[in-house]
Amino acid sequence: MALDDWSKAEDASDGARTRRLAGSYVAAAVLVAAVLAIGIVFGGTIKQQVLDEEVAVQLVPKEPPKPAPPPPAPPPPPKPAVRVTSPGPKGAARDATPVELPKGPPEEGDPDRAKAEEEAGDPNGVAGGAGRGGGAPAPPVVQAPAPPPIVQAPPMQVAEVSTPAVPRHKPMPAYPEDARRQGIEAVVVVKFVVTADGRVEDARIVKGHPLFDAAVLASVRDWTFEPATLEGQPVRMVRMVKIPFRLKHS
């Protein structure tokens, strides 16, 4: 193709493109104008409808809280119980105040019978029927006789028993320290009673020394025995024990 022909074809193509662009601008302007015209015409009506559909809002005051119900009424107090006492023996309480009111008129009494009762007197009164409403005199209080004192059988001697008392627990007294320092020696004889249950009673010094007596008595009172027997029965028995106190000499 020649250069002139190509330039002419290029110019023709640019003119067609320009016409197409101009037509597009004109169409767009017409469309925008149409939309604006529709908005102007129908906008007022749409706004009026929106305003008409608005709902009015009113403020409702808050109700005050309801008062609490009053507390229930207390129950009525219980009725006092009527105490009815049974009638006592005849003549025991003639002047007592009645508990219940009589429901009918009082019965008419026999004057002869009342007079006879007054002459005879009240059987519950004093001796002989004299007086009314008085109680009989109280009987004298008789004290029971005191039980006789328990007298224990005298303790047996060794020759009288079948089996003599045998020591069960017999710790010996310790040597007193005062007597040891002074070098004193002595023999103490103690007499006591072995009871029927094997205990020691009535311990006393028969022969002794002031520095040894207390230690011997304290020790002997803790002794226990198999009690003596007479014909198979435990009996009390007198025992006498000699306790020597000797120092060891080197």
Side-chain angles (χ1 to χ4, degrees):
M1 178 181 292
L3 183 58
D4 295 336
D5 294 336
W6 183 80
S7 299
K8 291 179 182 180
E10 187 67 25
D11 294 337
S13 176
D14 291 339
R17 187 181 299 112
T18 301
R19 287 193 296 271
R20 285 196 302 269
L21 290 175
S24 299
Y25 291 154
V26 172
V30 172
L31 181 59
V32 172
V35 172
L36 292 176
I38 292 172
I40 294 172
V41 174
F42 295 100
T45 304
I46 295 172
K47 183 177 180 181
Q48 185 64 32
Q49 290 179 357
V50 173
L51 294 177
D52 292 341
E53 292 178 359
E54 291 180 356
V55 180
V57 179
Q58 297 181 358
L59 297 177
V60 180
K62 185 178 180 182
E63 296 182 359
K66 296 182 180 181
K79 296 182 180 180
V82 179
R83 183 179 180 184
V84 180
T85 57
S86 59
K90 183 178 179 181
R94 291 188 176 184
D95 299 333
T97 305
V99 178
E100 296 182 354
L101 296 177
K103 298 181 179 180
E107 298 181 358
E108 295 182 0
D110 187 359
D112 297 334
R113 181 179 177 183
K115 185 175 181 181
E117 290 180 356
E118 290 180 359
E119 293 177 356
D122 189 356
N124 295 324
V126 296
R132 299 181 58 186
V141 179
V142 179
Q143 295 183 354
I150 299 175
V151 179
Q152 295 183 351
M156 302 291 182
Q157 301 297 328
V158 177
E160 298 175 342
V161 299
S162 302
T163 303
V166 179
R168 182 190 303 165
H169 178 69
K170 189 179 177 182
M172 299 305 294
Y175 208 106
E177 192 62 30
D178 292 343
R180 186 187 301 276
R181 286 198 303 267
Q182 298 178 31
I184 300 175
E185 298 179 346
V187 176
V188 180
V189 179
V190 58
K191 184 178 181 180
F192 54 90
V193 175
V194 178
T195 62
D197 57 358
R199 294 179 296 105
V200 172
E201 287 184 351
D202 195 20
R204 61 182 182 273
I205 301 296
V206 177
K207 178 184 177 182
H209 190 281
L211 295 179
F212 299 92
D213 293 347
V216 170
L217 289 176
S219 180
V220 169
R221 286 166 182 163
D222 290 337
W223 291 358
T224 58
F225 292 80
E226 292 291 338
T229 59
L230 178 63
E231 296 180 356
Q233 299 295 327
V235 294
R236 294 159 53 88
M237 178 183 173
V238 176
R239 287 291 305 267
M240 187 177 296
V241 177
K242 183 186 296 185
I243 304 175
F245 288 88
R246 295 284 186 265
L247 292 173
K248 293 181 179 180
H249 299 282
S250 56

